[in-house]
Amino acid sequence: MALLKVKFDQKKRVKLAQGLWLMNWFSVLAGIIIFSLGLFLKIELRKRSDVMNNSESHFVPNSLIGMGVLSCVFNSLAGKICYDALDPAKYARWKPWLKPYLAICVLFNIVLFLVALCCFLLRGSLENTLGQGLKNGMKYYRDTDTPGRCFMKKTIDMLQIEFKCCGNNGFRDWFEIQWISNRYLDFSSKEVKDRIKSNVDGRYLVDGVPFSCCNPSSPRPCIQYQITNNSAHYSYDHQTEELNLWVRGCRAALLSYYSSLMNSMGVVTLLIWFEVTITIGLRYLQTSLDHVSNPEEPESESEGWLLEKSVPETWKAFLESVKKLGKGNQVEAEGADAGQAPEAG
Amino acid sequence: MAPVLPLVLPLQPRIRLAQGLWLLSWLLVLAGGLILLCSGHLLVQLRHLGTFLAPSCQFPALPQAALVAGAVALGTGLVGVGASRASLNAALYPPWRGVLGPMLVAGTAGGGGLLVITLGLALALPGSLDEALEEGLGTALAHYKDTEVPGHCQAKRLVDELQLRYQCCGRHGYKDWFGVQWVSSRYLDPSDQDVVDRIQSNVEGLYLTDGVPFSCCNPHSPRPCLQNRLSDSYAHPLFDPRQPNQNLWAQGCHEVLLEHLQDLAGTLGSMLAVTFLLQALVLLGLRYLQTALEGLGGVIDGEGETQGYLFPGGLKDMLKTAWLQGGVACRPAPEEAPPGEAPPKEDLSEA
């Protein structure tokens, strides 16, 4: 009992082949789009690798690039097959390759589905990498004269300006680290000496933030120093003041940016439904062309199906063929012995 | 009457002309599309920078005119493509016969005129940008503090974003901020002696400081940004006000914006020049093709040689013909006129 049998006459076959040809070219286009999306994501991750400790995983963009290329190749091949399918002479060339090609297509669909799933799931590891990287970045903010870290200040400043964020989780992260280099501190000043003595590590901690945390939409000029001291500024209450500095932390800002990128890419990769349809259509085309009821007349009716027998029977047949592969040598050996025995006897 | 600039066109050169024209027309379509994109981009930039240009500035007229000119060039190119395609195919040509003449006139007069005007604008208008920017930026800086005055409340945000995006400070340098009150009076403590001194120290009663807003800060600087007391050498360690300031953006926003807009206008101008050339070539080619095919009576595949020309006669002859044709159309048919007079007039109109 074949699975999902459908009757095909010549016109239907032609329509199926034409429709498949069109869908294959759309898929090639989609493959190109996925390739460029993967490339774009890779470049974006590279750009910010400084704040990700250089340890971010490039698995998603690499797999997207690979999927895009493979999709282009497979679908253009399938398009060619569909184009040739209506010419019996040309189709005879492709006949032996179709079954393995369909098997590869099924595998490709499964891998595509897994990649789409990864796009949605790798958010967690990105969050950890970002948190670590930003903390280190802020620690090295003041080391503008240390070779190898001198660019960190510029990177963090540009990041905070571009993504409209401040600190790791909020602006208070800046209160806990010394972000002003000792070179620019006046050690003869009493205030500086007091601050340095006030904590165990001898760091100069202030309740101030760098200028890149300032929000241009604030109605008053930016208050960067003595943020928690209401009396230091006229008509200022740090607990109700919301527009002065960026409120969001850079980890959340970067995470939401990359998440939205990967989500949109995951959606596009759901073109697997397209691919599944193409594989099913190709299977119908193959079976209907292979089993034309009257081989002399190519215009006659035929039947197409997904599987020749029902699913459990097909599975049994598959297992049998696998077992036979293993027993292949044994059968030949027995045959040789049996051949020799009658000769002797 | 001698035709102006005649060109003998047997079959092969005609085909070559048509094919070359097809290629040129596609190039014209491309050029028209590029002009549309470029002028669209310029319009979007002007929308963002509109606050920093004086309202009386005429500069936005350039991208608007270029938009129309680009659309006309695109249309001319498409007509060229269709006509050159049709002239190679006998079945397709007849519908084009009647349309081509008026289209050529419209293309030359309308499209050509528009392109010339736009080119003129592209050469003349960027000169007026200097004053417009001077006035516009001056107003924006003066209104920086007016964050609660309706009509100017966006000035602070826009100036800050401008300085951050274009990496500039003040109009011609950071010292421009020393001459403007950029701190709103709402946030000045009237009981503070320093504030009172500053306000009383100048005629207009403005609170002037030697400080700049945060958006002037340069992230590339190795030290955390110094915004206040920039004229005081003892205020900050290792800071000398007499040295060039590495801390803040060195360029003034006037220069940066002027260069940016002039670059865009220059690109647009050169694209317009190229399109003008292409359009002239396409229209010339179409005219020669049209007159050559008219000579054959509209039969494409005729093997005979024909002449293509620009105008059937010189300027004087054309005007005379036009005048006579107009006269014949206006006057009623002269039935009582002596037959001797009518034939010579008809000869003249035919020639």
Side-chain angles (χ1 to χ4, degrees):
Chain A
M1 186 51 197
L3 192 65
L4 294 176
K5 221 194 265 196
V6 177
K7 266 209 179 338
F8 282 103
D9 61 345
Q10 177 68 352
K11 247 198 262 174
K12 245 185 165 179
R13 279 205 295 272
V14 169
K15 278 240 176 75
L16 179 65
Q18 284 174 340
L20 278 178
W21 180 82
L22 203 65
M23 282 174 81
N24 274 314
W25 284 113
F26 275 136
S27 289
V28 169
L29 206 67
I32 294 177
I33 293 178
I34 289 188
F35 171 78
S36 33
L37 280 180
L39 208 61
F40 175 68
L41 184 61
K42 198 172 175 75
I43 293 176
E44 280 292 309
L45 281 175
R46 267 295 151 118
K47 258 205 299 192
R48 314 269 167 217
S49 58
D50 298 329
V51 294
M52 291 200 260
N53 251 356
N54 288 323
S55 67
E56 75 278 10
S57 148
H58 278 257
F59 175 69
V60 171
N62 286 343
S63 48
L64 279 177
I65 290 174
M67 285 297 118
V69 169
L70 280 179
S71 164
C72 278
V73 166
F74 279 157
N75 284 314
S76 39
L77 198 62
K80 180 89 175 69
I81 292 178
C82 291
Y83 192 71
D84 286 344
L86 298 169
D87 185 353
K90 286 196 198 155
Y91 182 66
R93 254 194 322 165
W94 292 112
K95 243 190 173 173
W97 296 102
L98 264 187
K99 263 232 166 97
Y101 179 74
L102 277 173
I104 295 178
C105 266
V106 170
L107 271 172
F108 178 65
N109 287 340
I110 295 177
V111 173
L112 203 55
F113 180 71
L114 287 175
V115 167
L117 216 63
C118 279
C119 280
F120 292 112
L121 293 180
L122 281 186
R123 196 176 175 273
S125 88
L126 195 62
E127 187 161 0
N128 287 334
T129 331
L130 274 175
Q132 252 333 95
L134 276 171
K135 223 201 279 190
N136 285 341
M138 283 164 59
K139 215 167 46 170
Y140 302 141
Y141 185 86
R142 62 185 159 110
D143 294 332
T144 46
D145 39 6
T146 313
R149 295 195 207 134
C150 52
F151 54 85
M152 199 47 97
K153 175 182 181 295
K154 175 175 78 83
T155 311
I156 299 265
D157 277 336
M158 307 281 244
L159 186 77
Q160 295 192 145
I161 294 177
E162 189 181 333
F163 282 87
K164 304 197 193 325
C165 59
C166 186
N168 206 345
N169 298 314
F171 63 85
R172 285 172 201 270
D173 296 330
W174 288 108
F175 297 174
E176 292 155 22
I177 60 168
Q178 178 179 351
W179 55 273
I180 302 179
S181 172
N182 284 337
R183 282 177 79 196
Y184 309 112
L185 290 174
D186 181 7
F187 283 99
S188 59
S189 149
K190 185 173 179 307
E191 186 240 343
V192 172
K193 281 195 272 203
D194 282 343
R195 280 193 189 271
I196 289 184
K197 281 204 208 120
S198 74
N199 67 86
V200 180
D201 309 313
R203 292 178 297 165
Y204 179 75
L205 302 177
V206 281
D207 54 348
V209 293
F211 77 94
S212 42
C213 279
C214 288
N215 183 351
S217 307
S218 160
R220 80 183 292 166
C222 187
I223 294 175
Q224 285 175 246
Y225 296 101
Q226 297 180 299
I227 294 175
T228 46
N229 184 356
N230 283 349
S231 51
H233 315 277
Y234 182 65
S235 171
Y236 174 67
D237 181 2
H238 75 274
Q239 291 181 323
T240 54
E241 184 67 54
E242 281 174 346
L243 285 176
N244 191 28
L245 303 172
W246 297 120
V247 176
R248 212 156 58 142
C250 286
R251 185 167 63 161
L254 277 174
L255 195 62
S256 88
Y257 174 67
Y258 280 117
S259 294
S260 60
L261 267 185
M262 292 215 271
N263 281 349
S264 53
M265 290 181 196
V267 164
V268 171
T269 315
L270 285 185
L271 88 124
I272 60 162
W273 298 120
F274 228 41
E275 297 278 348
V276 167
T277 327
I278 289 180
T279 311
I280 292 179
L282 207 57
R283 172 65 172 169
Y284 272 118
L285 192 66
Q286 182 225 355
T287 44
S288 69
L289 280 175
D290 280 345
H291 299 90
V292 173
S293 46
N294 190 352
E296 300 306 311
E297 222 181 302
E299 307 270 320
S300 57
E301 271 198 1
S302 66
E303 285 178 348
W305 53 71
L306 273 184
L307 289 174
E308 195 158 352
K309 310 180 194 85
S310 67
V311 180
E313 285 175 27
T314 319
W315 182 241
K316 245 192 265 176
F318 179 66
L319 285 178
E320 289 283 332
S321 58
V322 168
K323 272 191 224 160
K324 247 192 246 168
L325 273 175
K327 278 200 220 150
N329 292 334
Q330 275 188 356
V331 172
E332 281 175 4
E334 278 177 18
D337 283 343
Q340 276 178 7
E343 278 179 16
Chain B
M1 254 187 327
V4 176
L5 291 176
L7 197 65
V8 177
L9 287 173
L11 183 67
Q12 268 306 75
R14 259 202 328 270
I15 294 184
R16 287 277 160 72
L17 177 65
Q19 287 171 338
L21 202 60
W22 183 83
L23 200 66
L24 274 180
S25 302
W26 273 118
L27 282 177
L28 183 60
V29 167
L30 193 69
L34 281 175
I35 289 189
L36 281 177
L37 281 174
C38 193
S39 45
H41 175 65
L42 186 53
L43 274 176
V44 169
Q45 294 280 301
L46 283 176
R47 177 111 57 85
H48 292 316
L49 297 173
T51 7
F52 307 112
L53 289 172
S56 59
C57 180
Q58 304 290 343
F59 190 71
L62 171 62
Q64 284 160 357
L67 212 60
V68 181
V72 170
L74 197 79
T76 314
L78 288 174
V79 165
V81 167
S84 50
R85 221 34 223 289
S87 69
L88 291 170
N89 187 342
L92 291 175
Y93 189 64
W96 282 96
R97 274 185 83 180
V99 192
L100 208 49
M103 273 199 186
L104 279 174
V105 172
T108 321
L114 205 55
L115 270 176
V116 169
I117 292 176
T118 317
L119 258 174
L121 283 179
L123 291 170
L125 281 181
S128 68
L129 268 180
D130 206 24
E131 295 136 35
L133 272 176
E134 194 71 46
E135 198 187 315
L137 275 173
T139 324
L141 253 60
H143 287 295
Y144 186 89
K145 61 174 167 38
D146 295 334
T147 44
E148 63 269 359
V149 174
H152 298 294
C153 54
Q154 295 294 328
K156 175 180 181 294
R157 183 178 66 85
L158 291 170
V159 171
D160 278 335
E161 285 175 356
L162 177 77
Q163 295 190 141
L164 285 172
R165 167 105 91 35
Y166 287 90
Q167 301 185 344
C168 58
C169 185
R171 280 158 67 183
H172 302 282
Y174 68 90
K175 300 207 178 169
D176 293 329
W177 287 106
F178 296 176
V180 167
Q181 177 181 352
W182 54 275
V183 183
S184 173
S185 307
R186 279 175 81 195
Y187 309 111
L188 293 173
D189 186 359
S191 55
D192 186 353
Q193 191 54 38
D194 174 63
V195 173
V196 171
D197 283 342
R198 282 188 189 272
I199 289 183
Q200 284 175 345
S201 72
N202 67 86
V203 179
E204 293 135 13
L206 296 173
Y207 176 76
L208 303 175
T209 77
D210 52 351
V212 294
F214 78 93
S215 42
C216 277
C217 288
N218 183 353
H220 301 265
S221 157
R223 79 184 292 169
C225 188
L226 296 174
Q227 292 172 245
N228 305 312
R229 299 199 282 170
L230 292 169
S231 333
D232 186 355
S233 9
Y234 302 107
H236 313 279
L238 290 181
F239 176 66
D240 187 356
R242 287 163 301 175
Q243 300 291 339
N245 197 325
Q246 306 272 344
N247 215 358
L248 308 172
W249 294 120
Q251 278 181 311
C253 291
H254 181 101
E255 284 85 35
V256 170
L257 280 182
L258 191 65
E259 193 186 329
H260 179 71
L261 287 174
Q262 278 179 339
D263 276 346
L264 282 176
T267 321
L268 194 58
S270 41
M271 282 206 286
L272 281 168
V274 168
T275 311
F276 180 66
L277 210 66
L278 279 175
Q279 183 155 332
L281 284 175
V282 166
L283 286 171
L284 261 169
L286 274 179
R287 174 62 172 167
Y288 271 113
L289 202 61
Q290 180 211 15
T291 45
L293 289 173
E294 282 306 307
L296 282 179
V299 176
I300 309 289
D301 310 325
E303 284 286 335
E305 292 193 349
T306 67
Q307 251 188 10
Y309 48 81
L310 273 184
F311 302 114
L315 193 60
K316 267 199 273 187
D317 296 322
M318 264 185 17
L319 286 176
K320 224 192 264 181
T321 321
W323 171 256
L324 282 172
Q325 278 183 344
V328 163
C330 284
R331 257 185 283 143
E335 289 169 46
E336 294 106 32
E341 278 188 22
K345 277 216 199 81
E346 285 174 19
D347 282 335
L348 267 174
S349 344
E350 268 176 30

